[in-house]
Amino acid sequence: MTRFLLLTEAFFSIETPTFSMRTLFLTENVSLSMVQDGLKIRNGESTQIVSPPYIPWGAIVIQNGFGYISFAAMRTLLSLRVSIVMLDYQGNLMGHMAPYNRRFGGLQMRQFQASANPKRRLAIAKSIAIRGYHRRGMHPPFSKMDNLSELVQLESRTADAYWNKWKDRLAERWPEHDFDGRNHPRYRTRIRAVTKVNAVLNYSYALLQTACRTMIYRAGLSPEIGFLHQENSWSKRAGEPLVWDFEELGRGWVDEAVLSWLSKPENRTGFKRLDDWVVRIKPEMTRNLIESVSPRVRSEILWHDARDIVKNL
């Protein structure tokens, strides 16, 4: 465990190169196909052609789309390591087609064994919590926790303090905001956003999940085996606890991007409240949000995070 924590400290002393994951957003009338000049992308009345191998995106997000993607287009995108993500009309993840990476059963077996070993799981979970909150400018005593339960409780309290601070920063930019925190006694905010701010956060985290899941597959790890988060979580994503672990590593980037986006008054009006009181971001604002948030997701740092976990299994 000491060796792992020392590696964690060393990570922060090295200036890691950053790589932003650009995302292409498409909605409703969509088609992707291969033509003589390259990849043809149609979205409504707009059409563009890009020539492989220079695809400028790391992911293509399709929300509430109808139309088609040809097999040739899918082969080209996956061969160039471009993910294809499908979201429903509320921005919830329906499916994620990640570029294939050769899997080694021995690596996933070591991942399972580390997760099943209380000491090793605790060491890796601590490193995830330390890195994630370090990137958010917070330094709780995670390394002093004696077991996973204590660590999770401290992480929960730290998250509450973090969101209170984030709420104050938001109020400086938007005094009339509707953010009441990420936890609520009457509804589960992470599943049903009934405020504008939480709708923006939820949608932005869906973009982060895309990058996290892609890096997990790229490293040959299994998203079903986590360390900090429990497999029996209430979340509908409980089947992929490692994705949730990785989200902790990148939330700070997304939160800063959302704070910046909401600081602009023109971005506070593109919402619609549904019959069940859930707030939905209108497609035209979703495109703007993705263009603001996706460049802030530092995929190359997530890749180094994944590789560090692999080295310590």
Side-chain angles (χ1 to χ4, degrees), residues 19 33-34 137 177 192 198 200 204 222 234 239 250:
F19 173 78
S33 59
M34 296 304 299
H177 70 79
R192 297 179 67 253
N198 276 314
V200 173
S204 300
S222 170
W234 53 262

Side-chain angles (χ1 to χ4, degrees), residues 222-270:
S222 170
E224 292 83 9
I225 303 171
F227 298 96
L228 177 61
H229 291 91
Q230 304 285 347
E231 290 80 355
N232 61 350
S233 166
W234 53 262
S235 169
K236 65 180 179 180
R237 292 174 288 137
E240 295 183 323
L242 190 61
V243 174
W244 210 355
D245 283 356
F246 267 68
E247 278 190 79
E248 296 297 334
L249 297 168
R251 285 184 188 273
W253 306 326
V254 170
D255 298 340
E256 289 301 312
V258 168
L259 195 63
S260 177
W261 191 78
L262 288 173
S263 297
K264 301 177 180 179
E266 62 269 24
N267 293 335
R268 304 168 188 167
T269 58

Side-chain angles (χ1 to χ4, degrees), residues 86-141:
M86 298 292 293
L87 305 179
D88 67 11
Y89 72 98
Q90 293 188 51
N92 298 315
L93 179 68
M94 298 180 64
H96 179 191
M97 185 177 295
Y100 176 78
N101 188 70
R102 183 178 298 277
R103 298 287 196 87
F104 296 97
L107 174 58
Q108 294 189 7
M109 180 61 71
R110 295 201 307 274
Q111 181 185 355
F112 173 78
Q113 291 171 343
S115 182
N117 183 301
K119 290 185 178 179
R120 294 180 66 191
R121 176 170 184 168
L122 178 62
I124 297 174
K126 285 180 179 180
S127 75
I128 292 171
I130 290 170
R131 288 190 184 190
Y133 279 94
H134 179 98
R135 292 169 186 170
R136 282 175 266 186
M138 302 184 73
H139 307 275

